[in-house]
Amino acid sequence: MKLLPLLIALALLPGAPLLAAEPTALQQLLDAPEPPLSQQARAAVALAKKWQSNPASRAEPVPSADGAIRFLFGAGQPTVVCAVMQVCDVELQPGEVVNSVHLGDSVRWLVEPALTGAGPNALQHLIIKPLDVGLDTSLVVTTNRRTYHLNLRSHRSEFLPRVGFIYGDEVAARWAALKQVQTQERQARTIPATGEYLGNLDFNYSLSGSAPWKPSRVYNDGTKTIIEMPREMAQTEAPTLLAIRANGSPRGKDETTLVNYRLQGNRYIVDTVLDHAILVTGVGRGQTKITIRRGR
């Protein structure tokens, strides 16, 4: 069996006539009886074949908009079908650099490099050509990022013009980047003092009236109403909060009722969404009132 590498090496020399002159000798070497395998070797080969052929262990290829058939990298050993008198273009990840190419059958298969673009994002291609029909071999390509294990098969007319890959780590990186952007956006739109996200808040409230303690802001989060008071309130009497509800009768006056709330620093936290309310201090002519209405 040591003669086969010598024949292949001689066949690759410029002008070497070995394959043309002695095709029968090479064919005899390829058709020689298989040597027996140990039990451990047979078990290992069986596992490798299961990984290669079991559809449940790998994702199906999918088409992309640019015409390339894309395989999920690492999900199995993709089979690239090539045809005589045609070329298969295997595209790697942008910026990926090929370190080495290893063919199981380097006599009847050709793999040539090609490059699209320049610089750190240049696209490396492997241009694959079979020299005969019905060939089956393996291809290992090592790069600066990963190792590709491909199965090559040649056909008379069917072939894959363009082949590419979907990289799980690249997809994960995109999701991580999107999550980071969303997190940064949420942090930018969150009130630091309270941790409330502005996207969940409704600030559509109007205030009327005049008082030293007139609220600086009123909003709700869908379940609670928050009334933010100015610092001046600390020097005055805290106003009473009353909700106003329509009576419903043509001549009836609106009903004023007390609502449950709690003070949190300079904020009134009301456990309901207010539509109409007043803040009041004093009585009679000395009364001061601020009216709060939902909507502008």
Side-chain angles (χ1 to χ4, degrees):
M1 293 303 293
K2 294 183 179 179
L3 181 59
L4 179 58
L6 176 61
L7 291 176
I8 293 174
L10 292 174
L12 293 177
L13 292 176
L18 180 61
L19 289 180
E22 300 184 15
T24 304
L26 177 60
Q27 191 62 46
Q28 287 177 349
L29 289 173
L30 295 175
D31 295 339
E34 296 286 0
L37 298 177
S38 66
Q39 182 177 355
Q40 183 186 52
R42 287 197 302 271
V45 170
L47 291 174
K49 286 183 176 180
K50 183 178 181 180
W51 173 73
Q52 290 173 311
S53 62
N54 184 10
S57 68
R58 64 182 188 272
E60 293 297 319
V62 295
S64 61
D66 59 5
I69 303 303
R70 300 196 177 273
F71 296 90
L72 179 61
F73 178 82
Q77 185 178 26
T79 295
V80 179
V81 180
C82 301
V84 292
M85 306 300 291
Q86 304 290 347
V87 295
C88 289
D89 175 13
V90 177
E91 304 172 359
L92 306 186
Q93 193 177 33
E96 195 166 14
V97 178
V98 173
N99 292 332
S100 63
V101 176
H102 304 274
L103 264 169
D105 182 353
S106 59
V107 174
R108 297 178 294 178
W109 289 86
L110 300 177
V111 179
E112 301 175 353
L115 198 64
T116 298
N121 291 321
L123 183 62
Q124 180 78 59
H125 302 258
L126 302 174
I127 306 301
I128 303 176
K129 303 176 185 178
L131 302 182
D132 202 351
V133 178
L135 304 178
D136 191 344
T137 192
S138 58
L139 172 65
V140 176
V141 181
T142 64
T143 75
N144 61 333
R145 297 178 182 174
R146 56 182 63 86
T147 300
Y148 295 83
H149 293 267
L150 304 178
N151 183 50
L152 304 182
R153 291 187 179 179
S154 66
H155 196 270
R156 187 173 304 279
S157 57
E158 301 293 343
F159 70 104
L160 304 179
R162 297 182 63 183
V163 174
F165 297 90
I166 299 170
Y167 302 96
D169 54 351
E170 186 178 64
V171 174
R174 289 177 182 174
W175 279 110
L178 176 61
K179 183 178 180 180
Q180 183 178 7
V181 170
Q182 292 174 333
T183 300
Q184 291 174 346
E185 179 185 356
R186 189 173 186 90
Q187 289 175 346
R189 300 192 60 193
T190 297
I191 301 175
T194 64
E196 295 167 319
Y197 177 54
L198 296 177
N200 298 333
L201 306 180
D202 177 12
F203 292 88
N204 191 26
Y205 284 87
S206 61
L207 301 171
S208 59
S210 178
W213 41 260
K214 185 176 182 178
S216 56
R217 182 163 57 185
V218 179
Y219 58 93
N220 74 74
D221 62 1
T223 58
K224 301 186 297 295
T225 302
I226 297 90
I227 303 172
E228 291 189 358
M229 307 297 288
R231 294 180 179 178
E232 288 77 6
M233 192 187 74
Q235 309 299 325
T236 64
E237 178 186 357
T240 300
L241 178 64
L242 302 172
I244 299 177
R245 296 181 175 85
N247 184 283
S249 62
R251 296 183 180 181
K253 294 183 178 181
D254 292 341
E255 296 180 353
T256 302
T257 60
L258 289 169
V259 291
N260 291 326
Y261 63 88
R262 59 189 180 277
L263 287 173
Q264 186 183 75
N266 66 328
R267 308 195 314 161
Y268 284 62
I269 309 297
V270 187
D271 293 324
T272 187
V273 175
L274 293 175
D275 290 320
H276 188 189
I278 58 173
L279 286 166
V280 180
T281 59
V283 293
R285 293 183 178 181
Q287 187 181 75
T288 303
K289 180 174 66 176
I290 297 295
T291 301
I292 301 171
R293 289 184 183 273
R294 190 180 180 188
R296 301 287 180 180

